[in-house]
Amino acid sequence: MRASSLLLVAGLVLSGSSAVAQNIAVLGDVEGMWDRWEHFATTSGAFSSTSRGYDLKPGYSFVFQGDAVDRGAHSRQVLETFLRLKNDHPSDVVMLLGNRDINKLRLLVELDPKSIAQPDPSYEKVLADSGLPRSLRTDPITKLKFILDYRMGSPEAFEFRRDELKREGRASTDADVLKSYLEDLKFDGLQGRYLRAAQIAHVDEKTGTLFVHGAVTEKNFGLVPGRSAPETDVRKWVKALNEWARKQIEAATKDGLTTRSNASELVDYQRRVGQGDQNPFSVVSARFTDDMGLPKAPSEKFLAMLAGQGIRRVSVGHSPYGEVPIVLRPGGFEIVLADVSYNKLGKNFPVMITSQGVTAESSVAGIGQVKIPAVSDNGIGGRLETGEVVVGELANGNVLTFKSVDYVSIHSEISGVEAKARILSGRCQDLMAATL
């Protein structure tokens, strides 16, 4: 049986395995931006507004795909909200670990007095280039600002934290901001509790969906740090990966990451050092991306292996491809790309997963509303012969495409008929290339 046929068969079996659809509201990469979370909560249909804040409705599950903090002014509020939802609905709320979440553990190492006393050439160069005295090399406040800006991609995070402390009625000097970051990383601190409640991967059995932050690929499937041989069973792999991460986090937040021994493997697992903008060996930092920066699914053989184990789709955040969620549909399998953190309207649009399929709605500035139906005859999820991805249907019956040029997202509008013809042309090109 061809791999594509196996994918379709597996999808049909799973889609009919449950008489009652389980609605999963999927959100990626809030990154401390409260307005984006609030838009998601009010438009997904999965939440009700109560005196305590948003609450999950009966019949719904909520999966947050990681990166709760950093780029917005409400990181602590986001963490508190997600932890409350998890506490109230432990079986129906799943929080994944993103690279921005895990990366915070680095602060326990890099802000430790012994670590600060060691040479740090890149930090010292920034001090010199900024005209700052070299004596600040051992100042933890200046070092925290440097780490947030240059190593975590969050230049505004320090001042955002100060603003949050003010809103909470707490002291907000530079020293208080530093203290807040370190206290939050303690075992019972806000960030520490989030890290311990979250996980690296999750399998939803009702819909056959595997959730991770970055990507599941041939290079990282089955890998668990510290093990010599990869795990071939997807559920055993997910369990082992989560157990390994939990032990690392508990050791770090309980005892303090003052040496490279506690959680250093977890920090290294999500780092992209020497790997360009991704680490293909980590499900946290890998991407479903080709050399042109466009979304690309793994090989048909690899997806068939996942389908053979009851996985019909993989859902991720981490990589914002344009302004709308993207659902790739190679051979009946589905790859859900839910990170829309760079949407110009400043909104996170909900992705809904049920046993019947994936749906989403979004809006693009200057274009309007975009819909991703569970089933489409307009080529949604396919790639044109020039590499663009067909991402959704427009109100006028045309479809929206996405491409990236020099890391700039470009959306275009074409007819559904043209899209299907160009997708077929692209497949023919791929088949010809494969036979050469």
Side-chain angles (χ1 to χ4, degrees):
M1 180 181 291
R2 283 179 52 82
S4 56
S5 301
L6 177 58
L7 294 180
L8 289 169
V9 170
L12 289 171
V13 170
L14 280 165
S15 66
S17 63
S18 175
V20 180
Q22 173 67 50
N23 301 301
I24 306 175
V26 181
L27 173 65
D29 304 75
V30 170
E31 299 178 359
M33 293 177 276
W34 184 258
D35 288 348
R36 291 180 178 272
W37 152 249
E38 198 160 45
H39 180 266
F40 171 85
T42 56
T43 59
S44 66
F47 299 89
S48 58
S49 181
T50 72
S51 59
R52 299 174 63 230
Y54 293 104
D55 192 23
L56 190 66
K57 292 180 180 178
Y60 285 89
S61 295
F62 170 48
V63 175
F64 175 63
Q65 297 194 145
D67 278 5
V69 298
D70 270 359
R71 292 179 54 240
H74 297 81
S75 290
R76 285 178 50 81
Q77 189 175 0
V78 168
L79 291 175
E80 288 172 344
T81 298
F82 290 174
L83 282 168
R84 177 179 55 78
L85 287 169
K86 179 66 175 177
N87 184 67
D88 292 347
H89 307 277
S91 299
D92 294 320
V93 172
V94 174
M95 303 181 303
L96 297 185
L97 293 165
N99 54 292
R100 291 185 179 273
D101 309 313
I102 295 171
N103 231 357
K104 294 299 164 288
L105 290 170
R106 293 175 58 184
L107 297 180
L108 294 173
V109 168
E110 297 184 36
L111 296 177
D112 179 75
K114 292 181 180 179
S115 178
I116 287 181
Q118 299 301 313
D120 189 337
S122 60
Y123 174 46
E124 292 167 23
K125 183 178 186 303
V126 168
L127 289 177
D129 292 346
S130 303
L132 297 173
R134 191 174 183 277
S135 59
L136 289 176
R137 183 176 65 83
T138 57
D139 175 54
I141 293 172
T142 307
K143 186 68 175 284
L144 172 59
K145 293 178 180 179
F146 163 80
I147 293 169
L148 292 172
D149 188 352
Y150 290 87
R151 291 179 178 165
M152 297 186 178
S154 310
E156 298 177 286
F158 192 92
E159 293 305 318
F160 282 156
R161 176 57 62 93
R162 190 196 308 279
D163 292 340
E164 280 206 89
L165 294 178
K166 289 179 180 178
R167 289 196 299 270
E168 295 172 9
R170 299 168 58 186
S172 56
T173 66
D174 281 4
D176 293 316
V177 173
L178 171 65
K179 181 180 178 182
S180 170
Y181 270 102
L182 295 178
E183 286 187 342
D184 276 358
L185 281 166
K186 291 181 178 179
F187 191 78
D188 290 324
L190 188 58
Q191 187 84 49
R193 288 188 286 120
Y194 177 87
L195 291 169
R196 288 189 288 112
Q199 56 200 71
I200 286 187
H202 171 70
V203 175
D204 179 75
E205 298 292 355
K206 292 183 179 179
T207 62
T209 306
L210 171 57
F211 294 92
V212 299
H213 180 65
V216 178
T217 69
E218 292 95 332
K219 290 185 177 180
N220 61 40
F221 177 77
L223 298 183
V224 179
R227 292 194 178 188
S228 57
E231 175 58 66
T232 58
D233 182 282
V234 65
R235 288 161 183 80
K236 291 181 180 179
W237 172 52
V238 166
K239 181 180 179 182
L241 205 52
N242 287 334
E243 289 177 348
W244 164 77
R246 188 170 297 112
K247 290 178 180 178
Q248 293 263 310
I249 291 166
E250 287 181 353
T253 57
K254 187 174 182 180
D255 301 326
L257 190 62
T258 56
T259 69
R260 295 293 294 170
S261 60
N262 293 341
S264 60
E265 290 182 3
L266 179 58
V267 172
D268 290 342
Y269 179 73
Q270 59 80 45
R271 294 177 73 179
R272 301 190 293 273
V273 176
Q275 301 290 343
D277 69 342
Q278 65 169 312
N279 179 353
F281 304 102
S282 164
V283 299
V284 177
S285 298
R287 302 180 191 272
F288 289 119
T289 307
D290 65 13
D291 294 337
M292 297 185 294
L294 291 170
K296 182 180 181 180
S299 71
E300 195 174 76
K301 180 180 179 181
F302 179 71
L303 296 181
M305 180 277 293
L306 292 177
Q309 296 194 46
I311 303 299
R312 65 174 298 190
R313 73 174 58 83
V314 176
S315 181
V316 303
H318 187 48
S319 302
Y321 298 103
E323 299 188 54
V324 302
I326 294 177
V327 182
L328 304 177
R329 288 170 172 152
F333 201 91
E334 290 182 323
I335 304 290
V336 182
L337 310 170
D339 181 3
V340 290
S341 57
Y342 285 94
N343 178 275
K344 292 184 177 65
L345 297 176
K347 299 176 180 178
N348 271 58
F349 295 90
V351 173
M352 300 301 299
I353 298 178
T354 74
S355 59
Q356 308 307 311
V358 181
T359 60
E361 292 190 14
S362 184
S363 290
V364 177
I367 294 178
Q369 189 175 35
V370 184
K371 291 187 177 182
I372 302 174
V375 178
S376 171
D377 60 359
N378 282 333
I380 306 302
R383 285 170 65 107
L384 307 183
E385 84 285 1
T386 48
E388 295 103 313
V389 178
V390 182
V391 297
E393 297 177 348
L394 301 173
N396 62 7
N398 289 339
V399 298
L400 187 72
T401 67
F402 162 78
K403 67 178 179 180
S404 177
V405 178
D406 295 329
Y407 298 99
V408 176
S409 300
I410 300 175
H411 290 285
S412 302
E413 179 179 344
I414 63 174
S415 72
V417 173
E418 179 185 352
K420 286 189 288 185
R422 293 178 64 184
I423 290 170
L424 180 60
S425 174
R427 288 173 180 167
C428 290
Q429 291 180 7
D430 290 342
L431 287 172
M432 291 178 64
T435 57
L436 294 179

